Amino acid sequence: MKQLQGLLALVEIAAAGSFAGAARRLNLTPAAVSKSLARLEQQLGVRLVQRSTRTARLTDEGARFVDKARDALRLLDEAVTEVSQTAHEPTGAVRISVGVAFGRMWVLPALPAIAQRFPRLILEVDLDNSRVDMVADGVDIAIRGGSVPDAGFVARRACKLPLVLVASPDYLARAGVPLAPADLDGHRCIQFRSSNGSEAPWAFRTNGRRVAFTPRPALVANDSEAVVELALAGGGVAQCGLYHALPHLRAGRLRLLLADTHDPGAREFVVVYPHRQFLAPRVRVVIDALLAHFRETADLHLQPRDLPASLRAVAASSARRVRRTSVG
């Protein structure tokens, strides 16, 4: 046990890639981390980490030893958690980073109940659509749409993120209802631009094949809520997440378009956290509570095909009205 600090230092240096990163994880100074590692190396008689001014790299011996160290710390953490979890409430701050729209709609409503259940926790929420460096920014839990940042993290699926095409009734009354993907060429389109500057094409299923359509946008926004707001204001046809549009579809403020041919995609929201087998109980209970909340929220598991027929039929009837008007 006297080399516990050295084992902790080694594992966190391997995860963070630097003494400074390991120090942030352990809430120590870089000098303290360096001393703990040096004592462990002295006892073993072998160098485990090659140091430089900015980075730290495991030696071959260190790479072999770090796996054993992780196993030892995991077993110790499990034993301590098992003994203490019934006697002590999770305590401390848990920092959560989540995209703005998903956070407002689906994460914030869950937090008061979690805070009430664990009164010694402090839940800190960052609503931000930009890419986050969990280690450098001190984030415990990130919730994002897309893939896992790297192999040093764990991702657990919160829900799928199907996409839909929508427009306001006011816009459709003026411009008509597109009945096929080719009709979109004659419409004003609202495009989402991601943080890296890219604009994703819209996809359709035609004769069993997936066909990409790149809209010529009249309006562009880098926030998913802004895309929906522009559609609500009559700006044109927009592609957005079903869950962002769902309240407006149900209220009749937006109409669903081309539901039979539009490809909803395979994106999903994931809960991401550092791959530490000795995960702090304060973080673990929040992850478990959020995942339970997502599982129990029925709207998060809807697909476009699950929507009531009335929402899909509205667009068809509007199209008939517009066509009759234009012929007359």
Side-chain angles (χ1 to χ4, degrees), residues 301-322:
H301 305 284
L302 284 175
Q303 293 293 305
R305 63 178 178 271
D306 300 324
L307 294 174
S310 60
L311 293 183
R312 296 193 294 274
V314 167
S317 65
S318 297
R320 287 192 292 270
R321 287 197 304 272
V322 170

PDB file of all heavy atoms in Angstrom, residues 301-322:
ATOM      1  N   HIS A 301     -37.073   7.665 -27.769  1.00  0.00           N
ATOM      2  CA  HIS A 301     -36.931   6.403 -28.502  1.00  0.00           C
ATOM      3  C   HIS A 301     -37.893   6.316 -29.675  1.00  0.00           C
ATOM      4  O   HIS A 301     -38.068   5.250 -30.261  1.00  0.00           O
ATOM      5  CB  HIS A 301     -37.124   5.232 -27.529  1.00  0.00           C
ATOM      6  CG  HIS A 301     -36.204   5.308 -26.351  1.00  0.00           C
ATOM      7  ND1 HIS A 301     -34.866   4.990 -26.445  1.00  0.00           N
ATOM      8  CD2 HIS A 301     -36.404   5.731 -25.075  1.00  0.00           C
ATOM      9  CE1 HIS A 301     -34.287   5.190 -25.264  1.00  0.00           C
ATOM     10  NE2 HIS A 301     -35.196   5.636 -24.421  1.00  0.00           N
ATOM     11  N   LEU A 302     -38.482   7.453 -30.022  1.00  0.00           N
ATOM     12  CA  LEU A 302     -39.339   7.517 -31.205  1.00  0.00           C
ATOM     13  C   LEU A 302     -38.503   7.520 -32.474  1.00  0.00           C
ATOM     14  O   LEU A 302     -37.398   8.064 -32.517  1.00  0.00           O
ATOM     15  CB  LEU A 302     -40.193   8.778 -31.176  1.00  0.00           C
ATOM     16  CG  LEU A 302     -41.401   8.812 -30.242  1.00  0.00           C
ATOM     17  CD1 LEU A 302     -42.032  10.194 -30.284  1.00  0.00           C
ATOM     18  CD2 LEU A 302     -42.416   7.750 -30.626  1.00  0.00           C
ATOM     19  N   GLN A 303     -39.044   6.942 -33.522  1.00  0.00           N
ATOM     20  CA  GLN A 303     -38.499   7.040 -34.872  1.00  0.00           C
ATOM     21  C   GLN A 303     -39.557   7.743 -35.734  1.00  0.00           C
ATOM     22  O   GLN A 303     -40.747   7.742 -35.389  1.00  0.00           O
ATOM     23  CB  GLN A 303     -38.183   5.651 -35.421  1.00  0.00           C
ATOM     24  CG  GLN A 303     -37.046   4.949 -34.699  1.00  0.00           C
ATOM     25  CD  GLN A 303     -35.704   5.632 -34.927  1.00  0.00           C
ATOM     26  OE1 GLN A 303     -35.281   5.834 -36.063  1.00  0.00           O
ATOM     27  NE2 GLN A 303     -35.040   6.011 -33.835  1.00  0.00           N
ATOM     28  N   PRO A 304     -39.164   8.328 -36.847  1.00  0.00           N
ATOM     29  CA  PRO A 304     -40.164   8.989 -37.696  1.00  0.00           C
ATOM     30  C   PRO A 304     -41.344   8.077 -38.046  1.00  0.00           C
ATOM     31  O   PRO A 304     -42.483   8.526 -38.113  1.00  0.00           O
ATOM     32  CB  PRO A 304     -39.356   9.367 -38.943  1.00  0.00           C
ATOM     33  CG  PRO A 304     -37.961   9.579 -38.421  1.00  0.00           C
ATOM     34  CD  PRO A 304     -37.787   8.553 -37.341  1.00  0.00           C
ATOM     35  N   ARG A 305     -41.068   6.784 -38.253  1.00  0.00           N
ATOM     36  CA  ARG A 305     -42.167   5.861 -38.592  1.00  0.00           C
ATOM     37  C   ARG A 305     -43.146   5.676 -37.438  1.00  0.00           C
ATOM     38  O   ARG A 305     -44.263   5.178 -37.639  1.00  0.00           O
ATOM     39  CB  ARG A 305     -41.590   4.502 -38.988  1.00  0.00           C
ATOM     40  CG  ARG A 305     -40.834   3.803 -37.869  1.00  0.00           C
ATOM     41  CD  ARG A 305     -40.326   2.442 -38.286  1.00  0.00           C
ATOM     42  NE  ARG A 305     -39.574   1.808 -37.208  1.00  0.00           N
ATOM     43  CZ  ARG A 305     -38.276   1.946 -37.015  1.00  0.00           C
ATOM     44  NH1 ARG A 305     -37.569   2.712 -37.835  1.00  0.00           N
ATOM     45  NH2 ARG A 305     -37.659   1.341 -36.005  1.00  0.00           N
ATOM     46  N   ASP A 306     -42.735   6.042 -36.211  1.00  0.00           N
ATOM     47  CA  ASP A 306     -43.612   5.882 -35.051  1.00  0.00           C
ATOM     48  C   ASP A 306     -44.579   7.044 -34.878  1.00  0.00           C
ATOM     49  O   ASP A 306     -45.502   6.954 -34.056  1.00  0.00           O
ATOM     50  CB  ASP A 306     -42.773   5.761 -33.761  1.00  0.00           C
ATOM     51  CG  ASP A 306     -41.832   4.567 -33.789  1.00  0.00           C
ATOM     52  OD1 ASP A 306     -42.224   3.528 -34.356  1.00  0.00           O
ATOM     53  OD2 ASP A 306     -40.723   4.677 -33.240  1.00  0.00           O
ATOM     54  N   LEU A 307     -44.378   8.125 -35.611  1.00  0.00           N
ATOM     55  CA  LEU A 307     -45.227   9.300 -35.445  1.00  0.00           C
ATOM     56  C   LEU A 307     -46.645   9.001 -35.931  1.00  0.00           C
ATOM     57  O   LEU A 307     -46.842   8.194 -36.850  1.00  0.00           O
ATOM     58  CB  LEU A 307     -44.648  10.483 -36.219  1.00  0.00           C
ATOM     59  CG  LEU A 307     -43.310  11.015 -35.710  1.00  0.00           C
ATOM     60  CD1 LEU A 307     -42.794  12.083 -36.647  1.00  0.00           C
ATOM     61  CD2 LEU A 307     -43.428  11.553 -34.302  1.00  0.00           C
ATOM     62  N   PRO A 308     -47.639   9.623 -35.333  1.00  0.00           N
ATOM     63  CA  PRO A 308     -49.023   9.386 -35.753  1.00  0.00           C
ATOM     64  C   PRO A 308     -49.214   9.685 -37.234  1.00  0.00           C
ATOM     65  O   PRO A 308     -48.586  10.578 -37.801  1.00  0.00           O
ATOM     66  CB  PRO A 308     -49.828  10.360 -34.884  1.00  0.00           C
ATOM     67  CG  PRO A 308     -48.948  10.654 -33.713  1.00  0.00           C
ATOM     68  CD  PRO A 308     -47.537  10.569 -34.212  1.00  0.00           C
ATOM     69  N   ALA A 309     -50.105   8.924 -37.852  1.00  0.00           N
ATOM     70  CA  ALA A 309     -50.355   9.114 -39.286  1.00  0.00           C
ATOM     71  C   ALA A 309     -50.825  10.532 -39.588  1.00  0.00           C
ATOM     72  O   ALA A 309     -50.565  11.068 -40.665  1.00  0.00           O
ATOM     73  CB  ALA A 309     -51.384   8.097 -39.766  1.00  0.00           C
ATOM     74  N   SER A 310     -51.498  11.161 -38.634  1.00  0.00           N
ATOM     75  CA  SER A 310     -52.011  12.514 -38.872  1.00  0.00           C
ATOM     76  C   SER A 310     -50.898  13.511 -39.146  1.00  0.00           C
ATOM     77  O   SER A 310     -51.067  14.444 -39.934  1.00  0.00           O
ATOM     78  CB  SER A 310     -52.831  12.980 -37.668  1.00  0.00           C
ATOM     79  OG  SER A 310     -52.020  12.998 -36.493  1.00  0.00           O
ATOM     80  N   LEU A 311     -49.725  13.319 -38.529  1.00  0.00           N
ATOM     81  CA  LEU A 311     -48.624  14.254 -38.761  1.00  0.00           C
ATOM     82  C   LEU A 311     -48.065  14.103 -40.173  1.00  0.00           C
ATOM     83  O   LEU A 311     -47.603  15.067 -40.772  1.00  0.00           O
ATOM     84  CB  LEU A 311     -47.506  14.029 -37.730  1.00  0.00           C
ATOM     85  CG  LEU A 311     -47.848  14.365 -36.284  1.00  0.00           C
ATOM     86  CD1 LEU A 311     -46.634  14.158 -35.389  1.00  0.00           C
ATOM     87  CD2 LEU A 311     -48.329  15.804 -36.169  1.00  0.00           C
ATOM     88  N   ARG A 312     -48.098  12.901 -40.703  1.00  0.00           N
ATOM     89  CA  ARG A 312     -47.608  12.691 -42.067  1.00  0.00           C
ATOM     90  C   ARG A 312     -48.669  13.076 -43.089  1.00  0.00           C
ATOM     91  O   ARG A 312     -48.355  13.548 -44.160  1.00  0.00           O
ATOM     92  CB  ARG A 312     -47.195  11.230 -42.251  1.00  0.00           C
ATOM     93  CG  ARG A 312     -46.031  10.814 -41.361  1.00  0.00           C
ATOM     94  CD  ARG A 312     -45.473   9.478 -41.810  1.00  0.00           C
ATOM     95  NE  ARG A 312     -46.441   8.394 -41.617  1.00  0.00           N
ATOM     96  CZ  ARG A 312     -46.582   7.715 -40.477  1.00  0.00           C
ATOM     97  NH1 ARG A 312     -45.836   8.020 -39.440  1.00  0.00           N
ATOM     98  NH2 ARG A 312     -47.468   6.748 -40.382  1.00  0.00           N
ATOM     99  N   ALA A 313     -49.929  12.896 -42.736  1.00  0.00           N
ATOM    100  CA  ALA A 313     -51.001  13.182 -43.696  1.00  0.00           C
ATOM    101  C   ALA A 313     -51.206  14.672 -43.906  1.00  0.00           C
ATOM    102  O   ALA A 313     -51.696  15.090 -44.946  1.00  0.00           O
ATOM    103  CB  ALA A 313     -52.312  12.547 -43.221  1.00  0.00           C
ATOM    104  N   VAL A 314     -50.838  15.486 -42.912  1.00  0.00           N
ATOM    105  CA  VAL A 314     -51.028  16.941 -43.031  1.00  0.00           C
ATOM    106  C   VAL A 314     -50.312  17.475 -44.254  1.00  0.00           C
ATOM    107  O   VAL A 314     -50.852  18.260 -45.020  1.00  0.00           O
ATOM    108  CB  VAL A 314     -50.525  17.651 -41.761  1.00  0.00           C
ATOM    109  CG1 VAL A 314     -50.418  19.139 -41.998  1.00  0.00           C
ATOM    110  CG2 VAL A 314     -51.456  17.354 -40.598  1.00  0.00           C
ATOM    111  N   ALA A 315     -49.079  17.028 -44.461  1.00  0.00           N
ATOM    112  CA  ALA A 315     -48.301  17.518 -45.601  1.00  0.00           C
ATOM    113  C   ALA A 315     -48.957  17.127 -46.911  1.00  0.00           C
ATOM    114  O   ALA A 315     -49.021  17.910 -47.851  1.00  0.00           O
ATOM    115  CB  ALA A 315     -46.879  16.973 -45.533  1.00  0.00           C
ATOM    116  N   ALA A 316     -49.483  15.908 -46.992  1.00  0.00           N
ATOM    117  CA  ALA A 316     -50.101  15.456 -48.238  1.00  0.00           C
ATOM    118  C   ALA A 316     -51.343  16.278 -48.568  1.00  0.00           C
ATOM    119  O   ALA A 316     -51.552  16.696 -49.705  1.00  0.00           O
ATOM    120  CB  ALA A 316     -50.450  13.980 -48.123  1.00  0.00           C
ATOM    121  N   SER A 317     -52.186  16.525 -47.557  1.00  0.00           N
ATOM    122  CA  SER A 317     -53.385  17.319 -47.811  1.00  0.00           C
ATOM    123  C   SER A 317     -53.035  18.746 -48.181  1.00  0.00           C
ATOM    124  O   SER A 317     -53.680  19.360 -49.022  1.00  0.00           O
ATOM    125  CB  SER A 317     -54.308  17.286 -46.590  1.00  0.00           C
ATOM    126  OG  SER A 317     -53.692  17.915 -45.482  1.00  0.00           O
ATOM    127  N   SER A 318     -52.001  19.297 -47.554  1.00  0.00           N
ATOM    128  CA  SER A 318     -51.563  20.650 -47.914  1.00  0.00           C
ATOM    129  C   SER A 318     -51.112  20.699 -49.363  1.00  0.00           C
ATOM    130  O   SER A 318     -51.364  21.661 -50.082  1.00  0.00           O
ATOM    131  CB  SER A 318     -50.416  21.093 -46.995  1.00  0.00           C
ATOM    132  OG  SER A 318     -50.839  21.166 -45.654  1.00  0.00           O
ATOM    133  N   ALA A 319     -50.405  19.648 -49.782  1.00  0.00           N
ATOM    134  CA  ALA A 319     -49.922  19.608 -51.160  1.00  0.00           C
ATOM    135  C   ALA A 319     -51.088  19.642 -52.130  1.00  0.00           C
ATOM    136  O   ALA A 319     -51.057  20.340 -53.149  1.00  0.00           O
ATOM    137  CB  ALA A 319     -49.084  18.354 -51.383  1.00  0.00           C
ATOM    138  N   ARG A 320     -52.145  18.893 -51.832  1.00  0.00           N
ATOM    139  CA  ARG A 320     -53.299  18.879 -52.721  1.00  0.00           C
ATOM    140  C   ARG A 320     -53.946  20.262 -52.799  1.00  0.00           C
ATOM    141  O   ARG A 320     -54.336  20.720 -53.868  1.00  0.00           O
ATOM    142  CB  ARG A 320     -54.305  17.832 -52.244  1.00  0.00           C
ATOM    143  CG  ARG A 320     -53.836  16.392 -52.518  1.00  0.00           C
ATOM    144  CD  ARG A 320     -54.983  15.404 -52.307  1.00  0.00           C
ATOM    145  NE  ARG A 320     -55.368  15.321 -50.906  1.00  0.00           N
ATOM    146  CZ  ARG A 320     -54.844  14.471 -50.036  1.00  0.00           C
ATOM    147  NH1 ARG A 320     -53.867  13.657 -50.424  1.00  0.00           N
ATOM    148  NH2 ARG A 320     -55.264  14.435 -48.783  1.00  0.00           N
ATOM    149  N   ARG A 321     -54.026  20.935 -51.621  1.00  0.00           N
ATOM    150  CA  ARG A 321     -54.630  22.265 -51.626  1.00  0.00           C
ATOM    151  C   ARG A 321     -53.810  23.240 -52.456  1.00  0.00           C
ATOM    152  O   ARG A 321     -54.333  24.021 -53.235  1.00  0.00           O
ATOM    153  CB  ARG A 321     -54.785  22.786 -50.188  1.00  0.00           C
ATOM    154  CG  ARG A 321     -55.887  22.093 -49.401  1.00  0.00           C
ATOM    155  CD  ARG A 321     -56.252  22.929 -48.178  1.00  0.00           C
ATOM    156  NE  ARG A 321     -55.107  23.203 -47.330  1.00  0.00           N
ATOM    157  CZ  ARG A 321     -54.710  22.382 -46.353  1.00  0.00           C
ATOM    158  NH1 ARG A 321     -55.342  21.237 -46.145  1.00  0.00           N
ATOM    159  NH2 ARG A 321     -53.689  22.693 -45.598  1.00  0.00           N
ATOM    160  N   VAL A 322     -52.483  23.189 -52.277  1.00  0.00           N
ATOM    161  CA  VAL A 322     -51.604  24.105 -53.013  1.00  0.00           C
ATOM    162  C   VAL A 322     -51.705  23.852 -54.507  1.00  0.00           C
ATOM    163  O   VAL A 322     -51.760  24.764 -55.325  1.00  0.00           O
ATOM    164  CB  VAL A 322     -50.148  23.963 -52.509  1.00  0.00           C
ATOM    165  CG1 VAL A 322     -49.209  24.731 -53.430  1.00  0.00           C
ATOM    166  CG2 VAL A 322     -50.028  24.503 -51.093  1.00  0.00           C
TER     167      VAL A 322
END
